Amino acid sequence: MNIVAPADPELSSDDRFAGERLKLSPFHPRQAELNIRDAWSAWNGYKFADYYYEATYEYFCIRNTCGTYDICPMQKFLVEGEDALAMLDRMVTRDLTKLRVNRITYCCWCDDTGRMIDDGTIFRLDDNRYMLTCGSPCLAWLAKSALGFDKVTITEHTEQLAGLSLQGPTSFSTLKNMGVGDAVAELKPFGFTRVPFVGTELMISRTGFTGDLGYELWIDAEYALPLWDALYEAGEDYGIQPYGEAATNMARLEAGFIMPYMEFNEAPKTINFEHDQTPLELNLGWLVDFKKPHFNGRRALLEQKQKGTKQLLVKLDIEGNKPAEEAILYDSKGCRNQIGYVTSAMWSPSVKANIALAMIDTKALTGEIWAEIYHYKELRPYRKVAKCKVQDKPFWMPPRARQTPPGEF
C-alpha cells in the first residue's frame, strides 16, 4: 500500500496565515468577474459561490438553458495497482467487478456497523486504475481500507484536476458547438470519454447532480481557464450561465438526490447514537449488493435488512405552497404523535408542487402523514398543518436526461 498525500505548501515569514485562507479554484478568475453579488461560501477549504446573481434565476438556467457549477472542491483520488479493484470492492457496498472501463458507478461506503461514511462516484479509467470522487475529505478512510492490500497506490488528486459541471437541456448543443459533439453524442449516462483539447486531454462524463441532461468536464488544473473560455464561447447562444450551491440544492432536491449534512451525517462525525444513517435507511438499498461475500458493514446491514429499518427516507408531496423546511411530521392532524422530520424542502418552480425529503418511522408509512409548517408573512409567524403524500418517483427526471443521443436546441 502506498498513500500519496498532498504536499504541505512552504510558507514565508510574511505569509504566516496562508494556510487559513480559502483556496481559489482554477476557475476563480472567471467566476469572480461574474459573481456580481460577491456571494461566496466555503467547501473543503475552497472559496465557493453560493450564488452569482440570484438563486432562482440560476435554477431556471439549469432547467431551461444550461449552466456551469464548479466541482473543483470535490475530493478526487486516484486508486491504482493490481489490488485497486479488490480494495475498492471491499470498501464500497456495490459490486465493482461489474464496472467496465470508461464507465462510472454511484456508490457508498460504510463503517463496520453499516453507518454511512460517504457517497460518491467511481470512474474505471483502466484495468487497474480508478478515480473516486466524493464530497468530503476521505484520504484517511481510504488508507484504512487499503490495509492488507500491498499492490495499491492511493493519490489525492483534488488540486491537480479541475472539474466543471455543465447541466441543462442545451448542454449537449454547447459541447457540440465547442467541437466535441461527435465524441459525446453516443455517451450514455454514467459513461465517459476523452478528447484532445489545447495540447492536453479533456475527460467528459455524462454525470451530474441535477436530474437533467448534463455532463462533467475534467481537465488538468493548468488548462482550466482555456476550457472555461472555450465552453462559454460555444455556449453564448445557448444561454450558458454559472450557478452556485443554492441553485444546485434546488435542482438536486427535485431529482430526489441526497445531500450530506441534510439527509445524512457522516458516521465518523456524529456523537449521538443513530444520529447517522445506513444506506437502507436512506432508501439506497439498491446500492447494497449482498451477493458480494464481504464488504465493510455487510453483517450489520444484512441484519438490518432482515429485521427491517426503524426509519426510511421518502419523497413527500405536501399540500399548499409553504415549504416544509425543518418541519416535524405527525400521524394525525392533531400533531400529537411525532413520526418523523423533513430533511429538505422547497416549492418547486418546475414541478409546481410543494416537495420534500423526509425521514419517517417505517411503521407509520402506511398511515396519514401531516407536516407542521411554520412560515412568515410580513414578519409575522404563522403555523400551518398540511397533509403529505409519499411519492415513489423523482419529482423531476425528464426523458432528455437519459436520451441517447441527446436532443439538440
Side-chain angles (χ1 to χ4, degrees), residues 268-313:
K269 299 178 182 179
T270 58
I271 298 174
N272 295 295
F273 178 63
E274 292 187 346
H275 277 201
D276 48 19
Q277 291 78 24
T278 72
L280 303 183
E281 292 169 344
L282 291 168
N283 226 335
L284 296 176
W286 56 279
L287 291 182
V288 183
D289 192 339
F290 289 110
K291 294 180 181 178
K292 289 173 57 174
H294 185 64
F295 57 84
N296 286 3
R298 185 183 188 279
R299 182 181 299 176
L301 289 171
L302 184 58
E303 182 180 351
Q304 186 179 59
K305 181 183 179 182
Q306 293 168 345
K307 291 182 177 179
T309 61
K310 297 178 183 178
Q311 55 184 358
L312 189 68
L313 186 74

Side-chain angles (χ1 to χ4, degrees), residues 84-95:
L85 174 58
M87 172 256 162
L88 287 171
D89 194 49
R90 184 187 183 280
M91 186 181 86
V92 304
T93 63
R94 205 163 190 179
D95 187 354

Side-chain angles (χ1 to χ4, degrees), residues 13 24 49 53 165 170 176 182 200 250 271 305 319 347:
S13 58
L24 300 181
Y53 172 67
S165 186
T170 65
K176 184 176 181 181
D182 291 342
T200 188
M250 296 172 70
I271 298 174
K305 181 183 179 182
E319 67 179 5
W347 169 260

Side-chain angles (χ1 to χ4, degrees), residues 212-254:
D212 214 315
L213 174 64
Y215 303 84
E216 291 175 336
L217 313 180
W218 311 87
I219 198 166
D220 290 341
E222 60 186 293
Y223 295 96
L225 293 184
L227 172 61
W228 179 286
D229 293 340
L231 189 64
Y232 269 72
E233 182 180 356
E236 185 176 1
D237 292 335
Y238 296 104
I240 191 170
Q241 295 284 336
Y243 65 94
E245 183 67 11
T248 298
N249 196 40
M250 296 172 70
R252 71 91 193 170
L253 176 52
E254 287 182 335

